């Protein structure tokens, strides 16, 4: 499977992007045929003993059970695990130097990723960034990147941006695919759109539309036990406030244009952006 993935431009670009953003860090490490082949049974046993412990466990329960019943189930599960010690993650780089990585490939479509390490889970700038990114590249056909890169110039069928907060600062990323001969032009337009957004922020109308979409779609994220479980598990894993979901919509509604501009200026620095292209001329 890894060998097959190493022939696909999308997979090559994704792995190269994470490696460029997180050199010498677990986030940037990639499995190779050689590294997987070198794993022994003893390695697996040692890994399991080190990390599959009560100290590393987060137990989330959703359903028709009382608090006391939930505590009994959680205790029953955790007491059957070795106590262990909580795992730690080394600090991720947060101030990379801007760079460009170009990888050859015979594909007709170039795959492009532009970004940098941005924010960790629980960062107070999360809501301004999410609201602002809806206008920039997270809102599908209404986003600025889609309008400028696809609609006006036809450089890409799809272009988007997003923030992926992790325990350590996860990436901000712009992604697109385009004809290899026009990759340079598409990248230039994407960066121009980003630069304009950093300077201006969203308009009042764009901000209102972003808030309406994010708050209006929020209940759909909680319309089944499975979805509730996934969301609460994130709260537990990242140590977010227990009332995080209760206040999500009000925090979205509270975001202002200035909030968006300040948050983006702190976490998205054009000079530090890393651009990875695969199959570009």
């Amino acid at each position: 499977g890894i060998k097959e993935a190493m022939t696909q431009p999308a997979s090559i670009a994704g792995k190269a992007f994470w490696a460029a953003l997180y050199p010498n860090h677990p986030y940037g490490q990639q499995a190779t045929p050689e590294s997987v082949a070198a794993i022994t049974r003893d390695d697996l046993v040692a890994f399991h003993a080190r990390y599959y412990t009560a100290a590393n466990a987060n137990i989330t329960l959703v359903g028709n059970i009382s608090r006391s019943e939930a505590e009994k189930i959680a205790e029953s599960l955790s007491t059957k695990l070795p106590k262990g010690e909580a795992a730690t993650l080394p600090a991720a780089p947060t101030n990379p130097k801007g760079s460009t990585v170009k990888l050859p490939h015979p594909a007709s479509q170039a795959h492009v990723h532009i970004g940098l390490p941005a924010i960790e889970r629980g960062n107070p700038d999360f809501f301004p960034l999410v609201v602002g990114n809806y206008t920039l590249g997270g809102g599908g056909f209404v986003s600025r990147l889609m309008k400028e890169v696809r609609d006006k110039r036809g450089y890409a069928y799809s272009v988007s941006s997003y923030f992926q907060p992790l325990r350590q600062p996860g990436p901000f990323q712009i992604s697109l695919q385009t004809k290899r001969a026009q990759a340079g032009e598409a990248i230039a337009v994407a960066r121009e759109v980003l630069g304009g957004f950093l300077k201006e922020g969203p308009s009042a109308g764009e901000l209102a539309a972003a808030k309406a979409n994010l708050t209006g779609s929020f209940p759909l994220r909680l319309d089944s036990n499975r979805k509730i479980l996934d969301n609460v598990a994130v709260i537990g894993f990242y140590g977010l406030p227990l009332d995080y979901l209760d206040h999500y919509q009000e925090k979205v509604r509270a975001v202002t244009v200035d909030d968006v501009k300040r948050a983006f200026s702190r976490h998205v620095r054009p000079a530090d952006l890393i651009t990875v292209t695969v199959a570009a001329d």
Side-chain angles (χ1 to χ4, degrees), residues 10 14 19 23 63 70 74 84 88 133 148 154 195 199 202 214 222 224 229 232 250:
T88 58
N133 186 65
E148 295 295 330
K199 181 179 179 181
L214 293 170
L222 304 170
S224 71
L229 181 73
V232 178
E250 68 183 64

Side-chain angles (χ1 to χ4, degrees), residues 235-246:
I235 289 173
F237 183 81
Y238 289 109
L240 300 176
L242 295 181
D243 61 357
Y244 176 79
L245 297 175
D246 298 321

